[in-house]
């Protein structure tokens, strides 16, 4: 495994980490989740990503249980949560968003479900147009001073808002955002490569990027239709299916060109797509998703590809997948 600093902070995260979205507490059972965490840990993964909204809190519960069950040393791994979408099945106005109240309540609930005394990383899962940014910055700073959170950040915030949060923090001598969690893969590059470009030097921003396979599209598994055992076959994820496959065939075509080039190079598409994300030095860690241990083991091979392939090959992949 390779380890990278989370932006300009001193925290060293494994370049590949494991996320719980769709899978933990929903698509897979507890024993599969346990095997995934154990396998990731055995391969050097030290960061496990979660959110209050994943399976209404059940993903955090399962992750907390299996990490405790595996007796991972608390000083050897990092765990995250995210606040915004809420975890209650019937969400009342105070049970979602980024108000001081919900940020505090959601953090306390995540600590209980994950069975830890602090969250290493805590994200504002989306911007909240109904809460002043300053209120959220103060709330996050309070959690850090209380020892409940070590680093806070954002997820899918526009650069302007991240900069505003950092400015508020600087003015009032508060802890500012350390990292952002954006989508990043060969089919979605602009935000990480262009919009956030000035923020890396300006704020020392780190990134924990998600959906490196575009929800599996870059494995080529959807070329002949959606397999019955894949996430896109789940009726409640019809919205995700529409967004992943697109409506004009363009994303499927670009993914098809990528898979053909992977075959020509003689490498499996999944680790290749993941390794490409790691060629960007502003990526602190790539969050992997897996519904089976065999997928995770294949994806962890991305680290070896990173050293094996050259600049010209990465540029060919970009050309093949461009719109
Ligand atoms: P990916 O794009 O890597 O998709 C993972 C899924 O693709 C797996 O669950 C599996 O789905 C399929 N897959 C993975 N590897 C293989 C393989 N080798 N062969 C075939 N199929 C494979 O990542 P995710 O979308 O899951 O995102 C990763 C993490 O990022 C999440 O768990 C979460 O922590 C975070 N995230 C954050 C978001 C945010 O807003 N901040 C949003 C989304 C994710 P299946 O078997 O069902 O087909």
């Amino acid at each position: 495994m390779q380890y990278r600093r989370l932006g300009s902070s001193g925290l060293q995260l494994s370049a590949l980490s494991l996320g719980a979205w769709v899978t933990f507490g929903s698509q897979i059972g507890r024993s599969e989740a346990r095997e995934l965490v154990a396998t990731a840990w055995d391969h050097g993964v030290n960061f496990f990503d979660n959110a209050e909204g994943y399976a209404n809190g059940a993903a955090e519960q399962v992750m907390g249980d299996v990490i405790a069950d595996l007796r991972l040393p608390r000083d050897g791994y990092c765990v995250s949560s995210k606040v915004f979408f809420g975890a209650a099945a019937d969400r009342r106005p105070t049970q979602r968003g980024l108000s001081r109240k919900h940020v505090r309540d959601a953090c306390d609930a995540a600590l209980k479900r994950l069975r830890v005394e602090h969250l290493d990383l805590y994200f504002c899962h989306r911007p909240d147009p109904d809460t002043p940014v300053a209120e959220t910055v103060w709330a996050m700073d309070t959690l850090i001073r209380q020892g409940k959170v070590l680093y806070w950040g954002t997820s899918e915030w526009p650069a302007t808002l991240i900069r505003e949060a950092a400015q508020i923090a600087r003015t009032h001598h508060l802890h500012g955002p350390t990292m952002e969690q954006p989508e990043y893969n060969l089919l979605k590059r602009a935000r990480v490569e262009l919009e956030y470009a000035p923020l890396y030097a300006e704020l020392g921003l780190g990134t924990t990027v998600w959906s490196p396979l575009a929800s599996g599209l870059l494995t080529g598994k959807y070329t002949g239709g959606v397999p019955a055992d894949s996430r896109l076959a789940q009726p409640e994820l019809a919205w995700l299916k529409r967004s992943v496959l697109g409506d004009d065939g363009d994303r499927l075509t670009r993914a098809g060109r990528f898979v053909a080039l992977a075959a020509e190079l003689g490498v499996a598409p999944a680790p290749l797509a993941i390794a490409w994300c790691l060629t960007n030095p502003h990526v602190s860690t790539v969050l992997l998703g897996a519904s089976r241990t065999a997928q995770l083991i294949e994806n962890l091979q991305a680290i070896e590809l990173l050293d094996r392939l050259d600049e010209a090959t990465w540029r060919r992949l970009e050309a093949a997948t461009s719109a």
Side-chain angles (χ1 to χ4, degrees), residues 102-123:
H102 185 58
V103 166
R104 195 186 99 146
D105 290 343
C107 179
D108 285 346
L111 292 174
K112 279 206 194 82
R113 289 190 293 257
L114 286 162
R115 298 166 66 166
V116 289
E117 287 180 354
H118 68 267
L119 300 170
D120 301 284
L121 289 80
Y122 199 32
F123 295 90

Side-chain angles (χ1 to χ4, degrees), residues 19-21 23 27 49 54 82 125-126 155 181 210-216 219 221-222 229-231 270 287-292 295 298-299:
W21 182 53
T23 50
Q27 191 186 11
D49 182 66
Y54 294 171
K82 308 186 198 85
H125 211 155
R126 292 290 181 271
S155 180
Q181 186 166 131
W210 57 268
S211 285
L213 300 176
S215 260
T219 65
K221 72 192 301 173
Y222 302 129
D229 60 356
S230 117
R231 64 168 59 168
L287 292 164
L288 305 182
S291 65
R292 305 174 198 25
Q295 291 175 351
E298 179 177 54
N299 298 352

Side-chain angles (χ1 to χ4, degrees), residues 23-36 62 66 291:
T23 50
F24 284 52
S26 177
Q27 191 186 11
I28 63 174
R30 195 167 284 249
S31 63
E32 288 88 359
R34 187 183 192 280
E35 200 176 302
L36 284 174
V62 171
V66 304
S291 65

Side-chain angles (χ1 to χ4, degrees), residues 160-244:
T160 46
L161 211 56
I162 298 173
R163 193 179 268 126
E164 188 182 332
Q167 183 57 48
I168 291 166
R170 245 193 320 269
T171 304
H172 299 282
H173 305 289
L174 308 174
H175 294 279
T178 297
M179 67 285 171
E180 156 66 36
Q181 186 166 131
E183 180 178 3
Y184 188 51
N185 54 56
L186 275 159
L187 305 181
K188 184 118 185 191
R189 298 172 48 193
R191 180 159 252 182
V192 168
E193 295 180 15
L194 304 175
E195 185 184 336
Y196 293 159
L199 302 185
Y200 303 125
E202 199 179 306
L203 308 180
L205 193 74
T207 61
T208 67
V209 305
W210 57 268
S211 285
L213 300 176
S215 260
L217 180 60
L218 290 168
T219 65
K221 72 192 301 173
Y222 302 129
T223 311
V226 173
D229 60 356
S230 117
R231 64 168 59 168
L232 294 198
Q234 297 184 37
E236 67 276 18
L237 293 179
W239 64 271
L240 182 66
K241 181 176 168 185
R242 277 194 301 277
S243 118
V244 170

